[in-house]
Amino acid sequence: MAKLTQSVDLTNRGRVAVLTVDNPPVNALSQHVRQGLRDGITQAQADAAVQAIVIVCAGRTFIAGADITEFGKTPQEPGLHAVLDMIESSSKPVVAAIHGTALGGGLEVTLACHYRVGVKDARFGLPEVKLGLLPGAGGTQRLPRVVGVQKALSMIVGGDPIRAEEALKAGLIDEIVDGDLTAAGVAFAEKVLNDKRPLKKIRDLNDKIAEAKAKPEIFAEFRKSVARQTRGFRAPENCIKAVEAAVNSATFDEGIKRERELFQELLTSPESKAQRYFFFAEREAAKIPDVPSNTPDKKVEKAAVIGAGTMGGGIAMNFANVGIPVTVVEMTQENLDRGLGIVRKNYEATASRGRITAADVEKRMGLIKGTTDWNAVKDADIIIEAVFEEMPIKKEVFAKLDALAKPDAILATNTSTLDVDEIASATKRPESVIGTHFFSPANVMRLLENVRGKKSSPTAIATVMNLGRRIQKVPVLVGVCYGFVGNRMLHQRGQQAEKLILEGALPHQVDKVLTDFGFPMGPFAMGDLAGLDVGWRIRKGLGRKSPVADRICELGRFGQKTGAGYFKYEKGDRTPVPDPDVEKIIVEVATEQGITRRHISDEEILQRLLYPMVNEGAKILDEKIAIRASDIDVIWVYGYGWPVYRGGPMFWADQIGLKKLRDTMLAFKKQSGGDEFWTPAPLLERLANEGKGFTGQ
Ligand code: NAD
């Protein structure tokens, strides 16, 4: 065996040379891997005893992509392109033997090989689009030549990997193998030699390209089919253009040249910068300085949820979806039946769209047990409370849980505004109490804002962070304050939205500014969706007013559910339609308040909605409610639909420049007659003066 570099070995097995990549944890394409592959191919070529070459990986996966630590650094030789050209032009057949995931550059390595075999559970994909990029090492040129244009478009623009069986069907791999992978790879290479199979260079395969050439409408149709999901992103269009180049270029090399140009365009785009930042932000959010990843957690084998309302039902579904049995406790049988009925309907709707089977529906429903008997919480490892948002009720529930739950159970609350420490004080074990703030619909939204109380133990924290990942959420740890991170910032935006409509904008104009920015909807459509009556009732309870919203509610307009709110809705249609009656109310209230309405530019609307959020984010950081600025961004992308290609509010602010943001806030302060709302937070002020940002980007 010859060690070529720290991560690549070369061994001869009879007449087959085996190049083994061993670069834990995921065999990323680091410089020494590229060099090892290049040297290995060169040596095997020169070795007269070698007639074929197998590339295989040690550890848990085939090459799973680029080395992300090399991102943004000066590229080091050899470049991947050169290595791939060398593999493809080898005069001896090269076989890739694949297990785990062949992703991005990893899949591109296999596409430069002449043959590919994979184990049954291997997966194959080009996920670059998720970082705002395209597969820039020939992936867009080679993949359509093997799997056809349609399939290549869906893999490259969708970015999701496919399984071995699908890969075999599509022609991406030549065989599914089992047993020892190196041996299987060598056996396949022997077959290629014995059968005198040709060197299958993908660059020379033109059948599938010719097929697509005869059907140029493929591209227009594909663009139309992905228009909604790709709105605002830059990479998908460049991916499509690159595949078009594969079809329309006179030569393979010309296509490669076009791919490189399109890749470069993306590499320097603000969208990709934001998406790459966000990739790291999401990973960072898992790290909690005083709760290291090896902190013992409570293993969750059984769960309980208190309350089968909007949130309780959705939370229970999360457990059932990953096979954890969950008991739902309600006050009355009637509420329980209603709540679990909705859960069943949800599952059946998913099944009717073909996303799960009828058997899955029954299996999942079988894991959810409803009861009105509180004793059922006794054997739960975690209990999540999702009852009415009222402190006395929450405290009563937690006192009960304290009396009944196992000594080492985690007691969690889904409160969105109440003080987790006060809730914890209703128990004799405040260290076991923690917030798990799910977002609505709880079975769909990825964000899980975990709220650590003053006394929450490291075990409680580790448990809800690990559980969050297990139920396929993105957990972010925050501290206790009113509204926690997400809703506290949202509140700032909401206040300005109300002011803007009185000063001269209309709900549809405000909403459009945000949907143009990339949000799925604006604050007024969101209010209509959530139901305006909820806030109205809370305001009445607190003796507060919001004149426009109150008047709208007094007319029985509670939003979508009553067919009208800030907007009106046609029956069976969720499209918000501007309503002159609402405009009349707005103008009346403005007149009563002595406000002279004026034209407000879209730019002012955007700044007035989003700058206060950033300012609140600065306060949140100062108060150490969020661990780091990027956690706030993760919360906004996963919880509120902030477009990921804009990174999140704190990253976005950094791109604008904090000095400009601060100065604009001061200008708004002046314009508003000195409203303290616009006073920049001390942290914003300090960073702006120092010429720094929140995220280091
Ligand atoms: P909901 O009114 O839909 O459901 C509450 C359920 O709890 C009802 O079914 C009620 O019968 C039951 N319940 C009340 N008291 C109970 C008790 N003592 N024992 C057992 N069951 C009891 O409310 P929701 O929207 O599901 O909200 C629940 C919690 O989640 C609240 O704390 C809320 O602030 C929070 N939350 C709600 C949302 C949202 O968008 N709805 C989002 C995040 C968090």
Side-chain angles (χ1 to χ4, degrees):
M1 186 178 80
K3 207 161 176 61
L4 301 171
T5 63
Q6 67 191 79
S7 56
V8 184
D9 285 348
L10 176 67
T11 334
N12 284 4
R13 292 214 183 175
R15 55 181 175 162
V16 180
V18 178
L19 273 170
T20 308
V21 177
D22 188 6
N23 186 28
V26 295
N27 290 315
L29 277 167
S30 314
Q31 187 279 336
H32 43 86
V33 172
R34 300 193 300 271
Q35 189 188 321
L37 289 175
R38 181 193 65 185
D39 295 351
I41 296 285
T42 313
Q43 287 189 25
Q45 284 279 23
D47 185 344
V50 168
Q51 292 180 28
I53 303 159
V54 168
I55 299 177
V56 67
C57 290
R60 59 181 156 97
T61 177
F62 194 78
I63 300 166
D67 181 347
I68 46 182
T69 63
E70 287 182 9
F71 276 18
K73 298 193 183 144
T74 321
Q76 282 184 23
E77 291 295 319
L80 187 55
H81 265 290
V83 176
L84 300 195
D85 281 347
M86 190 167 226
I87 295 174
E88 193 168 51
S89 55
S90 158
S91 59
K92 303 173 181 178
V94 186
V95 177
I98 304 153
H99 74 299
T101 46
L103 295 180
L107 187 66
E108 288 175 305
V109 168
T110 75
L111 290 169
C113 297
H114 307 113
Y115 293 94
R116 286 157 295 283
V117 297
V119 299
K120 200 168 88 272
D121 56 3
R123 295 192 303 155
F124 310 81
L126 293 171
E128 285 82 351
V129 71
K130 296 192 176 174
L131 296 180
L133 298 170
L134 57 75
T140 65
Q141 304 304 299
R142 289 195 179 91
L143 190 64
R145 286 179 155 80
V146 221
V147 302
V149 164
Q150 194 71 46
K151 184 88 190 159
L153 280 172
S154 87
M155 282 180 73
I156 295 170
V157 177
D160 293 324
I162 61 170
R163 301 191 168 277
E165 263 175 41
E166 199 178 338
L168 182 68
K169 225 170 89 193
L172 179 55
I173 57 175
D174 300 283
E175 206 172 286
I176 293 179
V177 295
D178 52 19
D180 178 76
L181 183 58
T182 306
V186 171
F188 188 86
E190 284 289 350
K191 236 185 327 191
V192 169
L193 293 174
N194 292 338
D195 299 352
K196 298 199 171 40
R197 293 196 201 175
L199 279 183
K200 216 167 71 184
K201 292 187 192 173
I202 291 178
R203 61 184 287 140
D204 296 336
L205 303 180
N206 281 318
D207 287 5
K208 301 220 157 133
I209 297 293
E211 248 170 55
K213 239 186 205 142
K215 268 200 281 173
E217 66 281 5
I218 292 185
F219 291 101
E221 281 166 12
F222 185 80
R223 281 190 171 92
K224 217 169 121 201
S225 73
V226 294
R228 252 186 59 160
Q229 304 95 286
T230 59
R231 186 177 76 101
F233 288 87
R234 189 187 294 258
E237 177 55 25
N238 278 29
C239 288
I240 299 173
K241 282 184 181 159
V243 177
E244 267 177 325
V247 173
N248 297 326
S249 301
T251 61
F252 177 83
D253 290 329
E254 201 177 286
I256 287 280
K257 203 172 136 228
R258 183 74 184 123
E259 177 191 88
R260 203 168 300 176
E261 283 163 13
L262 291 162
F263 177 83
Q264 279 304 329
E265 235 175 78
L266 293 177
L267 193 61
T268 51
S269 70
E271 291 85 354
S272 177
K273 182 179 178 194
Q275 286 175 265
R276 280 177 282 148
Y277 154 80
F278 193 76
F279 174 83
F280 289 107
E282 206 181 320
R283 293 174 149 216
E284 278 297 297
K287 296 181 194 155
I288 300 154
D290 62 334
V291 186
S293 59
N294 58 0
T295 305
D297 63 350
K298 169 83 189 133
K299 298 284 170 268
V300 176
E301 276 155 25
K302 279 190 182 158
V305 174
I306 315 297
T310 313
M311 296 306 287
I315 295 169
M317 290 172 79
N318 286 301
F319 287 107
N321 292 349
V322 297
I324 303 173
V326 52
T327 303
V328 181
V329 183
E330 253 294 350
M331 289 193 293
T332 63
Q333 190 62 38
E334 192 190 341
N335 290 359
L336 190 60
D337 292 344
R338 182 170 13 94
L340 295 189
I342 293 171
V343 170
R344 176 173 278 282
K345 270 205 194 112
N346 272 332
Y347 277 138
E348 283 169 353
T350 313
S352 73
R353 286 194 296 269
R355 305 238 304 269
I356 56 173
T357 65
D360 290 334
V361 175
E362 296 315 317
K363 192 171 147 214
R364 293 178 195 195
M365 285 308 294
L367 286 167
I368 305 177
K369 296 257 177 306
T371 179
T372 52
D373 177 6
W374 281 76
N375 285 309
V377 304
K378 278 185 172 162
D379 61 352
D381 302 306
I382 186 166
I383 304 166
I384 300 183
E385 163 280 311
V387 304
F388 301 135
E389 184 76 342
E390 283 173 44
M391 188 54 93
I393 303 181
K394 301 273 192 205
K395 281 182 150 175
E396 199 188 307
V397 167
F398 272 77
K400 234 178 192 168
L401 294 179
D402 193 22
L404 291 170
K406 291 201 285 202
D408 60 347
I410 305 298
L411 311 181
T413 171
N414 187 47
T415 181
S416 20
T417 51
L418 300 175
D419 183 341
V420 175
D421 294 321
E422 193 178 338
I423 296 176
S425 74
T427 73
K428 287 190 237 27
R429 41 171 135 171
E431 68 284 355
S432 301
V433 177
I434 193 157
T436 48
H437 183 209
F438 288 79
F439 284 67
S440 182
N443 54 317
V444 176
M445 295 298 289
R446 297 284 313 280
L447 179 65
L448 178 62
E449 221 180 18
N450 284 330
V451 188
R452 84 189 279 175
K454 277 198 188 73
K455 295 187 178 155
S456 303
S457 68
T459 299
I461 294 170
T463 304
V464 295
M465 293 302 284
N466 292 342
L467 177 69
R469 283 183 283 274
R470 188 162 157 213
I471 60 174
Q472 284 150 29
K473 301 283 171 197
V474 179
V476 182
L477 191 68
V478 303
V480 174
C481 66
Y482 187 81
F484 312 127
V485 171
N487 284 346
R488 177 169 159 182
M489 288 165 71
L490 182 70
H491 186 62
Q492 307 302 312
R493 190 180 89 175
Q495 280 186 20
Q496 280 305 301
E498 282 293 324
K499 284 212 157 95
L500 282 163
I501 55 173
L502 289 177
E503 289 174 36
L506 286 171
H508 65 268
Q509 186 195 358
V510 173
D511 276 11
K512 184 170 182 308
V513 169
L514 285 193
T515 50
D516 285 351
F517 182 80
F519 278 98
M521 61 178 84
F524 294 106
M526 199 167 116
D528 278 359
L529 175 67
L532 302 177
D533 51 326
V534 185
W536 186 41
R537 253 180 236 124
I538 295 174
R539 283 197 298 279
K540 279 205 282 196
L542 296 171
R544 289 196 194 139
K545 282 196 181 330
S546 176
V548 174
D550 291 350
R551 248 175 247 193
I552 289 176
C553 287
E554 279 155 21
L555 296 171
R557 302 175 62 125
F558 296 156
Q560 281 192 24
K561 60 185 165 192
T562 58
Y566 281 106
F567 299 101
K568 53 186 177 182
Y569 299 86
E570 299 298 330
K571 231 184 156 60
D573 188 348
R574 289 165 173 265
T575 318
V577 181
D579 188 343
D581 290 350
V582 171
E583 182 171 349
K584 224 172 98 203
I585 293 174
I586 292 171
V587 172
E588 269 169 27
V589 174
T591 311
E592 283 164 24
Q593 296 192 359
I595 298 168
T596 312
R597 287 172 64 78
R598 64 185 168 93
H599 168 76
I600 304 182
S601 72
D602 286 357
E603 187 191 12
E604 178 176 339
I605 292 175
L606 190 74
Q607 292 172 335
R608 284 183 52 187
L609 291 176
L610 302 190
Y611 287 8
M613 280 175 38
V614 173
N615 197 46
E616 200 63 25
K619 292 180 191 167
I620 284 169
L621 283 174
D622 239 357
E623 293 166 25
K624 303 206 173 350
I625 296 293
I627 296 174
R628 46 184 91 78
S630 59
D631 285 6
I632 298 177
D633 289 339
V634 175
I635 286 172
W636 268 81
V637 167
Y638 280 115
Y640 300 84
W642 182 286
V644 64
Y645 56 82
R646 293 190 201 273
M650 308 315 274
F651 171 88
W652 176 74
D654 285 352
Q655 309 314 298
I656 293 166
L658 297 191
K659 186 171 175 311
K660 176 174 174 221
L661 200 144
R662 188 260 327 262
D663 293 347
T664 310
M665 285 194 57
L666 290 173
F668 285 139
K669 184 168 181 176
K670 208 162 149 205
Q671 174 180 307
S672 66
D675 189 348
E676 278 308 319
F677 178 89
W678 289 108
T679 304
L683 178 65
L684 172 60
E685 187 71 61
R686 181 165 65 73
L687 292 174
N689 289 336
E690 291 171 359
K692 291 188 181 152
F694 294 114
T695 63
Q697 298 290 313

